[in-house]
Amino acid sequence: MRAAAPRFEWTPSATLPAQPASFAGVGYQEMLERARRLAPWLAERAADCERLRRLPDESERALHEAGLFRVVQPARVGGADLDVGILVDVCAELARVCPSTSWNLGNLASHHWMLGYFEPQAQDELWDRSPDVLIATSLAFPAGRGRKVDGGYEIAGRWPLSSGVDNSDWNMLAFTVRDRDDGPPLDQCFALVHRSQYEILDTWHAMGLAGTGSKDVAIKGLFVPAWRTLTARALNGKPHPGSPVNPSPLFRLPMLALGPYVLSGVMLGCARGAYEATVGAARSRNATTTGLPVGASQAVQIKVAEAGARIDTAELLMRRTCEHAMHVARAGRDPDHGDKLRYRRDGAFAVRLCLEAVDILMSVAGSSGLYLTGAMQRLFRDAHAANAHVMFSPDLQGAMFGQHALGVSGPPPLL
């Protein structure tokens, strides 16, 4: 049983220092401890985050100062350059108290990792200005249209669900390349676009993950130079444009195959938070109808056991995948296609286990879980909102694995 983190009063500074800190050499456990220490401070601001419908500025500063945005940034620019499992672990710690903040952390931190796959010129343009730069994204390839022109691409579109966009100076927008509007897709790419070049549309009015600020962005027509673009195929775990300057194992991973683990820690944290809140309350709560101790009910005892087993199994699955992927990268091997599909399958299944655990625990909480003054209702709503992410779809991710396992031909997945 892990000991509870000590109470820690976090007081972020009013502004970030002119000279950004370096987190190169800060270890995995130290970063995880920083997340644990920050959690009580974020818990007090979770309701405010929801009302604001975006990551509050003071929370953003606290995450910057802790170095949590830079856990998977290259060490050469002062990032911690840690194993990919750090995203699962730090997101899980923060999601216990504020899933919206955790969702933003996972997204925005992972885009430092993703930028490391781009051309060095693009990396230097952003990180030379500030290694603390925040980058949003939208992974909806059909939402963006791109046409190859001399020196780059002309893009247009309206992209949904760009989490953390209000806090970000740049965006990575996915687009499909065609030579004409009704032509066949030629490629799927990402474009780095400065916030001065797109419009933010205030569309994020949601029942869950309300504080993520996952608004739409729109561009009517914009030239993007080729060095600010990246084909999605470069994220498949093979050498890519950023390989010469970022040689660590982290940047040899198949990033798209590991996509679920950028945010699966949010679901793990929701489930852990629900367990802590519900089981802790059940120890001293009496049922409103019978007056008997809730914890004395065998039905409640079984539900607690089932929820706990799901949470533990989900954590083991997430951890096994991240460790396996890092082992393959350190060995200098190309990731196997079957392994990539298993990563996606297990990510979706682990998240489903977390959602089931939250639902079981909500039934244990009963009417006490409905009050807006408590954490359970937020964890319940946010877990269901997070589960809607395409990376967590068992229908899509399971079908891809099943096709491969059964030898059924189909369109090759983008992995």
Short mmCIF file of all heavy atoms in Angstrom, two decimals, residues 148-209:
data_model
loop_
_atom_site.label_atom_id
_atom_site.label_comp_id
_atom_site.label_asym_id
_atom_site.label_seq_id
_atom_site.Cartn_x
_atom_site.Cartn_y
_atom_site.Cartn_z
N LYS A 148 -0.32 20.27 -52.02
CA LYS A 148 1.12 20.51 -52.15
C LYS A 148 1.36 21.65 -53.14
O LYS A 148 0.81 21.65 -54.24
CB LYS A 148 1.84 19.23 -52.61
CG LYS A 148 3.35 19.32 -52.44
CD LYS A 148 3.97 17.94 -52.49
CE LYS A 148 5.47 18.00 -52.30
NZ LYS A 148 5.87 18.67 -51.07
N VAL A 149 2.15 22.62 -52.72
CA VAL A 149 2.52 23.75 -53.57
C VAL A 149 4.03 23.91 -53.48
O VAL A 149 4.71 23.22 -52.70
CB VAL A 149 1.81 25.05 -53.14
CG1 VAL A 149 0.30 24.93 -53.33
CG2 VAL A 149 2.14 25.40 -51.69
N ASP A 150 4.57 24.82 -54.25
CA ASP A 150 6.01 25.02 -54.26
C ASP A 150 6.51 25.40 -52.87
O ASP A 150 6.07 26.40 -52.29
CB ASP A 150 6.37 26.12 -55.27
CG ASP A 150 7.87 26.26 -55.46
OD1 ASP A 150 8.58 25.25 -55.35
OD2 ASP A 150 8.33 27.40 -55.69
N GLY A 151 7.38 24.58 -52.29
CA GLY A 151 7.99 24.88 -51.00
C GLY A 151 7.20 24.45 -49.78
O GLY A 151 7.64 24.68 -48.65
N GLY A 152 6.05 23.82 -49.97
CA GLY A 152 5.27 23.41 -48.80
C GLY A 152 3.85 23.00 -49.15
O GLY A 152 3.61 22.37 -50.17
N TYR A 153 2.90 23.40 -48.28
CA TYR A 153 1.50 23.03 -48.45
C TYR A 153 0.62 24.25 -48.22
O TYR A 153 0.94 25.14 -47.41
CB TYR A 153 1.09 21.95 -47.45
CG TYR A 153 1.78 20.63 -47.66
CD1 TYR A 153 3.00 20.35 -47.05
CD2 TYR A 153 1.19 19.64 -48.46
CE1 TYR A 153 3.63 19.13 -47.24
CE2 TYR A 153 1.81 18.42 -48.66
CZ TYR A 153 3.03 18.18 -48.04
OH TYR A 153 3.66 16.98 -48.23
N GLU A 154 -0.49 24.28 -48.91
CA GLU A 154 -1.55 25.24 -48.61
C GLU A 154 -2.65 24.48 -47.89
O GLU A 154 -3.16 23.48 -48.40
CB GLU A 154 -2.09 25.86 -49.89
CG GLU A 154 -3.13 26.94 -49.64
CD GLU A 154 -3.61 27.57 -50.93
OE1 GLU A 154 -2.86 28.36 -51.53
OE2 GLU A 154 -4.74 27.23 -51.34
N ILE A 155 -2.98 24.90 -46.67
CA ILE A 155 -3.95 24.15 -45.86
C ILE A 155 -5.14 25.02 -45.51
O ILE A 155 -5.06 26.26 -45.47
CB ILE A 155 -3.31 23.59 -44.58
CG1 ILE A 155 -2.94 24.71 -43.59
CG2 ILE A 155 -2.09 22.74 -44.89
CD1 ILE A 155 -2.60 24.21 -42.20
N ALA A 156 -6.25 24.36 -45.24
CA ALA A 156 -7.48 25.02 -44.80
C ALA A 156 -8.29 23.98 -44.03
O ALA A 156 -8.10 22.77 -44.18
CB ALA A 156 -8.27 25.56 -45.99
N GLY A 157 -9.21 24.46 -43.21
CA GLY A 157 -10.08 23.53 -42.50
C GLY A 157 -10.60 24.11 -41.20
O GLY A 157 -10.28 25.24 -40.82
N ARG A 158 -11.40 23.30 -40.56
CA ARG A 158 -11.88 23.60 -39.20
C ARG A 158 -11.69 22.33 -38.38
O ARG A 158 -12.28 21.29 -38.68
CB ARG A 158 -13.35 24.03 -39.21
CG ARG A 158 -13.91 24.23 -37.81
CD ARG A 158 -15.26 24.89 -37.83
NE ARG A 158 -15.86 24.87 -36.49
CZ ARG A 158 -16.94 25.57 -36.16
NH1 ARG A 158 -17.54 26.34 -37.07
NH2 ARG A 158 -17.42 25.50 -34.93
N TRP A 159 -10.86 22.45 -37.35
CA TRP A 159 -10.46 21.31 -36.57
C TRP A 159 -11.14 21.32 -35.20
O TRP A 159 -11.13 22.36 -34.51
CB TRP A 159 -8.95 21.32 -36.36
CG TRP A 159 -8.14 21.05 -37.59
CD1 TRP A 159 -7.61 19.86 -37.98
CD2 TRP A 159 -7.73 22.00 -38.59
NE1 TRP A 159 -6.91 19.99 -39.14
CE2 TRP A 159 -6.96 21.31 -39.55
CE3 TRP A 159 -7.95 23.38 -38.76
CZ2 TRP A 159 -6.41 21.94 -40.67
CZ3 TRP A 159 -7.41 24.02 -39.87
CH2 TRP A 159 -6.65 23.30 -40.81
N PRO A 160 -11.68 20.19 -34.76
CA PRO A 160 -12.31 20.13 -33.44
C PRO A 160 -11.33 19.68 -32.35
O PRO A 160 -10.25 19.17 -32.63
CB PRO A 160 -13.38 19.06 -33.64
CG PRO A 160 -12.73 18.08 -34.59
CD PRO A 160 -11.88 18.94 -35.51
N LEU A 161 -11.73 19.88 -31.11
CA LEU A 161 -11.10 19.24 -29.95
C LEU A 161 -9.61 19.53 -29.82
O LEU A 161 -8.80 18.65 -29.60
CB LEU A 161 -11.33 17.72 -30.02
CG LEU A 161 -12.80 17.27 -30.10
CD1 LEU A 161 -12.89 15.80 -30.39
CD2 LEU A 161 -13.53 17.62 -28.82
N SER A 162 -9.26 20.82 -29.92
CA SER A 162 -7.86 21.22 -29.77
C SER A 162 -7.63 21.58 -28.30
O SER A 162 -7.64 22.75 -27.91
CB SER A 162 -7.54 22.40 -30.69
OG SER A 162 -6.15 22.67 -30.70
N SER A 163 -7.40 20.56 -27.49
CA SER A 163 -7.27 20.74 -26.05
C SER A 163 -6.09 21.65 -25.71
O SER A 163 -5.02 21.55 -26.31
CB SER A 163 -7.07 19.39 -25.36
OG SER A 163 -8.17 18.54 -25.58
N GLY A 164 -6.30 22.53 -24.73
CA GLY A 164 -5.25 23.42 -24.28
C GLY A 164 -4.92 24.53 -25.25
O GLY A 164 -3.89 25.21 -25.09
N VAL A 165 -5.78 24.80 -26.21
CA VAL A 165 -5.46 25.77 -27.26
C VAL A 165 -5.31 27.19 -26.70
O VAL A 165 -4.50 27.98 -27.19
CB VAL A 165 -6.50 25.71 -28.40
CG1 VAL A 165 -7.88 26.19 -27.93
CG2 VAL A 165 -6.04 26.49 -29.62
N ASP A 166 -6.07 27.53 -25.66
CA ASP A 166 -5.96 28.88 -25.11
C ASP A 166 -4.61 29.13 -24.45
O ASP A 166 -4.16 30.28 -24.35
CB ASP A 166 -7.07 29.11 -24.08
CG ASP A 166 -8.44 29.22 -24.72
OD1 ASP A 166 -8.62 30.08 -25.60
OD2 ASP A 166 -9.33 28.43 -24.36
N ASN A 167 -3.97 28.08 -23.98
CA ASN A 167 -2.68 28.21 -23.30
C ASN A 167 -1.50 28.10 -24.25
O ASN A 167 -0.36 28.28 -23.83
CB ASN A 167 -2.54 27.13 -22.23
CG ASN A 167 -3.67 27.17 -21.21
OD1 ASN A 167 -4.73 26.61 -21.44
ND2 ASN A 167 -3.44 27.84 -20.09
N SER A 168 -1.77 27.80 -25.51
CA SER A 168 -0.70 27.43 -26.44
C SER A 168 -0.40 28.54 -27.45
O SER A 168 -1.30 29.24 -27.90
CB SER A 168 -1.09 26.16 -27.21
OG SER A 168 -1.30 25.09 -26.31
N ASP A 169 0.87 28.65 -27.82
CA ASP A 169 1.30 29.60 -28.84
C ASP A 169 1.36 28.97 -30.23
O ASP A 169 1.43 29.70 -31.23
CB ASP A 169 2.68 30.17 -28.50
CG ASP A 169 2.63 31.16 -27.36
OD1 ASP A 169 1.63 31.89 -27.26
OD2 ASP A 169 3.57 31.20 -26.54
N TRP A 170 1.36 27.63 -30.29
CA TRP A 170 1.42 26.93 -31.57
C TRP A 170 0.40 25.79 -31.57
O TRP A 170 -0.14 25.43 -30.52
CB TRP A 170 2.82 26.35 -31.80
CG TRP A 170 3.87 27.39 -32.09
CD1 TRP A 170 4.52 28.16 -31.17
CD2 TRP A 170 4.38 27.76 -33.36
NE1 TRP A 170 5.41 28.99 -31.80
CE2 TRP A 170 5.35 28.76 -33.15
CE3 TRP A 170 4.11 27.34 -34.68
CZ2 TRP A 170 6.05 29.36 -34.20
CZ3 TRP A 170 4.83 27.94 -35.72
CH2 TRP A 170 5.77 28.94 -35.48
N ASN A 171 0.17 25.25 -32.76
CA ASN A 171 -0.74 24.13 -32.90
C ASN A 171 -0.18 23.18 -33.95
O ASN A 171 0.45 23.62 -34.92
CB ASN A 171 -2.13 24.60 -33.33
CG ASN A 171 -3.25 23.77 -32.75
OD1 ASN A 171 -3.19 22.55 -32.79
ND2 ASN A 171 -4.28 24.43 -32.22
N MET A 172 -0.39 21.87 -33.74
CA MET A 172 -0.07 20.86 -34.74
C MET A 172 -1.39 20.36 -35.32
O MET A 172 -2.14 19.64 -34.66
CB MET A 172 0.68 19.69 -34.11
CG MET A 172 2.08 20.02 -33.66
SD MET A 172 2.81 18.58 -32.82
CE MET A 172 4.43 19.21 -32.42
N LEU A 173 -1.70 20.78 -36.52
CA LEU A 173 -3.00 20.49 -37.12
C LEU A 173 -2.85 19.40 -38.18
O LEU A 173 -2.03 19.50 -39.09
CB LEU A 173 -3.59 21.76 -37.73
CG LEU A 173 -3.85 22.88 -36.71
CD1 LEU A 173 -4.28 24.15 -37.41
CD2 LEU A 173 -4.90 22.44 -35.70
N ALA A 174 -3.66 18.35 -38.03
CA ALA A 174 -3.62 17.22 -38.96
C ALA A 174 -4.39 17.57 -40.23
O ALA A 174 -5.44 18.22 -40.18
CB ALA A 174 -4.23 15.99 -38.30
N PHE A 175 -3.87 17.13 -41.37
CA PHE A 175 -4.60 17.38 -42.62
C PHE A 175 -4.34 16.25 -43.60
O PHE A 175 -3.33 15.54 -43.52
CB PHE A 175 -4.21 18.74 -43.23
CG PHE A 175 -2.77 18.86 -43.68
CD1 PHE A 175 -2.41 18.65 -45.01
CD2 PHE A 175 -1.77 19.23 -42.78
CE1 PHE A 175 -1.09 18.78 -45.43
CE2 PHE A 175 -0.45 19.36 -43.19
CZ PHE A 175 -0.10 19.14 -44.52
N THR A 176 -5.28 16.09 -44.50
CA THR A 176 -5.18 15.09 -45.56
C THR A 176 -4.76 15.78 -46.85
O THR A 176 -5.34 16.80 -47.23
CB THR A 176 -6.53 14.38 -45.77
OG1 THR A 176 -6.92 13.75 -44.55
CG2 THR A 176 -6.43 13.33 -46.86
N VAL A 177 -3.74 15.23 -47.49
CA VAL A 177 -3.22 15.81 -48.73
C VAL A 177 -3.97 15.24 -49.92
O VAL A 177 -4.10 14.02 -50.06
CB VAL A 177 -1.71 15.52 -48.87
CG1 VAL A 177 -1.16 16.16 -50.15
CG2 VAL A 177 -0.95 16.01 -47.65
N ARG A 178 -4.48 16.14 -50.75
CA ARG A 178 -5.12 15.76 -52.01
C ARG A 178 -4.66 16.75 -53.08
O ARG A 178 -4.35 17.90 -52.78
CB ARG A 178 -6.65 15.79 -51.90
CG ARG A 178 -7.24 14.69 -51.03
CD ARG A 178 -8.78 14.78 -51.03
NE ARG A 178 -9.39 13.60 -50.46
CZ ARG A 178 -9.63 13.41 -49.17
NH1 ARG A 178 -9.29 14.35 -48.30
NH2 ARG A 178 -10.20 12.30 -48.74
N ASP A 179 -4.67 16.30 -54.34
CA ASP A 179 -4.31 17.24 -55.41
C ASP A 179 -5.53 18.02 -55.90
O ASP A 179 -5.40 19.02 -56.61
CB ASP A 179 -3.61 16.53 -56.57
CG ASP A 179 -4.43 15.39 -57.16
OD1 ASP A 179 -5.61 15.23 -56.75
OD2 ASP A 179 -3.91 14.66 -58.02
N ARG A 180 -6.73 17.54 -55.51
CA ARG A 180 -7.97 18.29 -55.78
C ARG A 180 -8.99 17.89 -54.72
O ARG A 180 -8.83 16.86 -54.06
CB ARG A 180 -8.50 17.99 -57.18
CG ARG A 180 -8.86 16.55 -57.43
CD ARG A 180 -9.37 16.32 -58.85
NE ARG A 180 -9.96 15.00 -59.02
CZ ARG A 180 -9.27 13.90 -59.24
NH1 ARG A 180 -7.94 13.95 -59.36
NH2 ARG A 180 -9.88 12.73 -59.36
N ASP A 181 -10.01 18.71 -54.52
CA ASP A 181 -10.95 18.48 -53.41
C ASP A 181 -11.60 17.11 -53.46
O ASP A 181 -11.84 16.50 -52.41
CB ASP A 181 -12.04 19.57 -53.43
CG ASP A 181 -11.51 20.91 -52.95
OD1 ASP A 181 -10.40 20.93 -52.38
OD2 ASP A 181 -12.19 21.93 -53.17
N ASP A 182 -11.91 16.62 -54.65
CA ASP A 182 -12.57 15.31 -54.76
C ASP A 182 -11.59 14.19 -55.10
O ASP A 182 -11.99 13.09 -55.44
CB ASP A 182 -13.69 15.36 -55.81
CG ASP A 182 -13.17 15.72 -57.20
OD1 ASP A 182 -12.01 16.16 -57.31
OD2 ASP A 182 -13.93 15.56 -58.17
N GLY A 183 -10.30 14.49 -54.99
CA GLY A 183 -9.29 13.50 -55.34
C GLY A 183 -9.01 12.52 -54.20
O GLY A 183 -9.42 12.74 -53.05
N PRO A 184 -8.33 11.44 -54.50
CA PRO A 184 -8.00 10.45 -53.46
C PRO A 184 -6.96 11.01 -52.50
O PRO A 184 -6.15 11.87 -52.86
CB PRO A 184 -7.42 9.28 -54.27
CG PRO A 184 -6.86 9.93 -55.49
CD PRO A 184 -7.76 11.08 -55.81
N PRO A 185 -6.97 10.55 -51.24
CA PRO A 185 -5.95 11.01 -50.28
C PRO A 185 -4.57 10.53 -50.70
O PRO A 185 -4.38 9.35 -51.03
CB PRO A 185 -6.40 10.38 -48.97
CG PRO A 185 -7.28 9.24 -49.34
CD PRO A 185 -7.92 9.61 -50.63
N LEU A 186 -3.60 11.45 -50.67
CA LEU A 186 -2.23 11.13 -51.05
C LEU A 186 -1.33 10.94 -49.83
O LEU A 186 -0.33 10.22 -49.90
CB LEU A 186 -1.67 12.24 -51.95
CG LEU A 186 -2.46 12.55 -53.22
CD1 LEU A 186 -1.85 13.74 -53.94
CD2 LEU A 186 -2.51 11.33 -54.13
N ASP A 187 -1.65 11.59 -48.74
CA ASP A 187 -0.84 11.48 -47.53
C ASP A 187 -1.65 12.07 -46.37
O ASP A 187 -2.66 12.76 -46.57
CB ASP A 187 0.49 12.23 -47.69
CG ASP A 187 1.56 11.77 -46.70
OD1 ASP A 187 1.25 10.88 -45.86
OD2 ASP A 187 2.68 12.30 -46.75
N GLN A 188 -1.20 11.80 -45.17
CA GLN A 188 -1.75 12.41 -43.96
C GLN A 188 -0.59 13.05 -43.21
O GLN A 188 0.42 12.39 -42.93
CB GLN A 188 -2.45 11.36 -43.09
CG GLN A 188 -3.72 10.82 -43.73
CD GLN A 188 -4.36 9.72 -42.89
OE1 GLN A 188 -3.73 8.69 -42.63
NE2 GLN A 188 -5.60 9.91 -42.46
N CYS A 189 -0.74 14.34 -42.90
CA CYS A 189 0.38 15.12 -42.38
C CYS A 189 -0.05 16.00 -41.21
O CYS A 189 -1.25 16.16 -40.93
CB CYS A 189 0.96 16.02 -43.47
SG CYS A 189 1.63 15.14 -44.89
N PHE A 190 0.95 16.57 -40.54
CA PHE A 190 0.74 17.57 -39.49
C PHE A 190 1.42 18.85 -39.93
O PHE A 190 2.51 18.83 -40.51
CB PHE A 190 1.33 17.11 -38.17
CG PHE A 190 0.68 15.90 -37.59
CD1 PHE A 190 1.19 14.63 -37.82
CD2 PHE A 190 -0.47 16.01 -36.80
CE1 PHE A 190 0.58 13.50 -37.29
CE2 PHE A 190 -1.08 14.89 -36.26
CZ PHE A 190 -0.55 13.64 -36.51
N ALA A 191 0.78 19.98 -39.61
CA ALA A 191 1.36 21.29 -39.89
C ALA A 191 1.52 22.06 -38.59
O ALA A 191 0.59 22.12 -37.78
CB ALA A 191 0.46 22.07 -40.85
N LEU A 192 2.69 22.62 -38.38
CA LEU A 192 2.94 23.51 -37.25
C LEU A 192 2.47 24.91 -37.63
O LEU A 192 2.97 25.50 -38.60
CB LEU A 192 4.43 23.55 -36.93
CG LEU A 192 4.97 22.60 -35.88
CD1 LEU A 192 6.50 22.71 -35.86
CD2 LEU A 192 4.40 22.91 -34.50
N VAL A 193 1.53 25.45 -36.85
CA VAL A 193 0.92 26.74 -37.18
C VAL A 193 0.93 27.62 -35.94
O VAL A 193 0.54 27.17 -34.84
CB VAL A 193 -0.52 26.55 -37.69
CG1 VAL A 193 -1.13 27.88 -38.08
CG2 VAL A 193 -0.56 25.59 -38.88
N HIS A 194 1.37 28.86 -36.08
CA HIS A 194 1.37 29.80 -34.96
C HIS A 194 -0.04 30.30 -34.69
O HIS A 194 -0.87 30.41 -35.60
CB HIS A 194 2.29 31.00 -35.27
CG HIS A 194 2.51 31.88 -34.08
ND1 HIS A 194 1.78 33.03 -33.87
CD2 HIS A 194 3.36 31.77 -33.03
CE1 HIS A 194 2.17 33.61 -32.74
NE2 HIS A 194 3.12 32.86 -32.21
N ARG A 195 -0.35 30.62 -33.43
CA ARG A 195 -1.71 30.99 -33.06
C ARG A 195 -2.19 32.25 -33.76
O ARG A 195 -3.39 32.49 -33.87
CB ARG A 195 -1.85 31.13 -31.54
CG ARG A 195 -1.16 32.30 -30.90
CD ARG A 195 -1.45 32.33 -29.40
NE ARG A 195 -2.85 32.60 -29.12
CZ ARG A 195 -3.53 32.10 -28.10
NH1 ARG A 195 -2.94 31.27 -27.24
NH2 ARG A 195 -4.77 32.40 -27.89
N SER A 196 -1.28 33.07 -34.25
CA SER A 196 -1.67 34.26 -35.02
C SER A 196 -2.25 33.89 -36.38
O SER A 196 -2.84 34.73 -37.06
CB SER A 196 -0.47 35.19 -35.20
OG SER A 196 0.55 34.55 -35.96
N GLN A 197 -2.09 32.61 -36.77
CA GLN A 197 -2.51 32.19 -38.11
C GLN A 197 -3.79 31.37 -38.12
O GLN A 197 -4.20 30.91 -39.18
CB GLN A 197 -1.37 31.38 -38.75
CG GLN A 197 -0.08 32.18 -38.92
CD GLN A 197 1.06 31.32 -39.41
OE1 GLN A 197 1.37 30.28 -38.83
NE2 GLN A 197 1.70 31.74 -40.50
N TYR A 198 -4.39 31.16 -36.95
CA TYR A 198 -5.68 30.45 -36.93
C TYR A 198 -6.63 31.14 -35.96
O TYR A 198 -6.22 31.89 -35.07
CB TYR A 198 -5.51 28.97 -36.55
CG TYR A 198 -4.78 28.69 -35.25
CD1 TYR A 198 -5.42 28.76 -34.02
CD2 TYR A 198 -3.42 28.33 -35.26
CE1 TYR A 198 -4.75 28.49 -32.83
CE2 TYR A 198 -2.74 28.06 -34.08
CZ TYR A 198 -3.41 28.14 -32.88
OH TYR A 198 -2.74 27.88 -31.71
N GLU A 199 -7.91 30.88 -36.17
CA GLU A 199 -8.96 31.44 -35.33
C GLU A 199 -9.38 30.39 -34.30
O GLU A 199 -9.58 29.22 -34.65
CB GLU A 199 -10.16 31.84 -36.18
CG GLU A 199 -11.31 32.43 -35.40
CD GLU A 199 -12.53 32.72 -36.26
OE1 GLU A 199 -12.50 32.41 -37.47
OE2 GLU A 199 -13.51 33.27 -35.72
N ILE A 200 -9.52 30.80 -33.05
CA ILE A 200 -10.02 29.91 -32.00
C ILE A 200 -11.52 30.15 -31.86
O ILE A 200 -11.96 31.28 -31.66
CB ILE A 200 -9.31 30.17 -30.66
CG1 ILE A 200 -7.80 29.91 -30.79
CG2 ILE A 200 -9.89 29.28 -29.57
CD1 ILE A 200 -7.00 30.28 -29.55
N LEU A 201 -12.30 29.10 -31.97
CA LEU A 201 -13.77 29.18 -31.90
C LEU A 201 -14.22 28.61 -30.56
O LEU A 201 -13.90 27.47 -30.22
CB LEU A 201 -14.40 28.41 -33.06
CG LEU A 201 -13.89 28.82 -34.45
CD1 LEU A 201 -14.44 27.89 -35.51
CD2 LEU A 201 -14.26 30.26 -34.75
N ASP A 202 -14.98 29.39 -29.81
CA ASP A 202 -15.37 29.01 -28.45
C ASP A 202 -16.53 28.01 -28.49
O ASP A 202 -17.68 28.35 -28.25
CB ASP A 202 -15.75 30.25 -27.65
CG ASP A 202 -15.93 29.93 -26.16
OD1 ASP A 202 -15.65 28.79 -25.76
OD2 ASP A 202 -16.37 30.83 -25.43
N THR A 203 -16.20 26.76 -28.76
CA THR A 203 -17.22 25.71 -28.92
C THR A 203 -17.27 24.74 -27.75
O THR A 203 -18.15 23.87 -27.72
CB THR A 203 -16.90 24.90 -30.20
OG1 THR A 203 -15.53 24.46 -30.14
CG2 THR A 203 -17.10 25.74 -31.45
N TRP A 204 -16.33 24.84 -26.80
CA TRP A 204 -16.20 23.79 -25.78
C TRP A 204 -17.11 24.05 -24.59
O TRP A 204 -16.73 24.67 -23.61
CB TRP A 204 -14.75 23.65 -25.34
CG TRP A 204 -14.50 22.46 -24.45
CD1 TRP A 204 -14.07 22.47 -23.16
CD2 TRP A 204 -14.69 21.08 -24.78
NE1 TRP A 204 -13.97 21.19 -22.67
CE2 TRP A 204 -14.35 20.30 -23.64
CE3 TRP A 204 -15.13 20.41 -25.93
CZ2 TRP A 204 -14.43 18.91 -23.62
CZ3 TRP A 204 -15.20 19.02 -25.91
CH2 TRP A 204 -14.85 18.29 -24.77
N HIS A 205 -18.35 23.56 -24.70
CA HIS A 205 -19.32 23.58 -23.60
C HIS A 205 -19.71 22.12 -23.39
O HIS A 205 -20.59 21.60 -24.08
CB HIS A 205 -20.53 24.44 -23.95
CG HIS A 205 -20.17 25.87 -24.23
ND1 HIS A 205 -20.13 26.85 -23.27
CD2 HIS A 205 -19.79 26.48 -25.40
CE1 HIS A 205 -19.76 27.99 -23.81
NE2 HIS A 205 -19.55 27.81 -25.10
N ALA A 206 -19.05 21.45 -22.45
CA ALA A 206 -19.12 19.99 -22.36
C ALA A 206 -19.49 19.54 -20.96
O ALA A 206 -19.24 20.23 -19.97
CB ALA A 206 -17.78 19.38 -22.77
N MET A 207 -20.07 18.33 -20.87
CA MET A 207 -20.49 17.79 -19.58
C MET A 207 -19.33 17.16 -18.81
O MET A 207 -19.42 16.94 -17.61
CB MET A 207 -21.60 16.76 -19.76
CG MET A 207 -21.29 15.58 -20.68
SD MET A 207 -20.20 14.27 -20.02
CE MET A 207 -21.26 13.52 -18.84
N GLY A 208 -18.24 16.87 -19.49
CA GLY A 208 -17.08 16.28 -18.85
C GLY A 208 -15.80 16.84 -19.42
O GLY A 208 -15.80 17.37 -20.55
N LEU A 209 -14.72 16.75 -18.66
CA LEU A 209 -13.46 17.37 -19.04
C LEU A 209 -13.66 18.83 -19.44
O LEU A 209 -13.04 19.34 -20.39
CB LEU A 209 -12.78 16.59 -20.17
CG LEU A 209 -12.31 15.18 -19.83
CD1 LEU A 209 -11.73 14.49 -21.07
CD2 LEU A 209 -11.26 15.18 -18.71
#
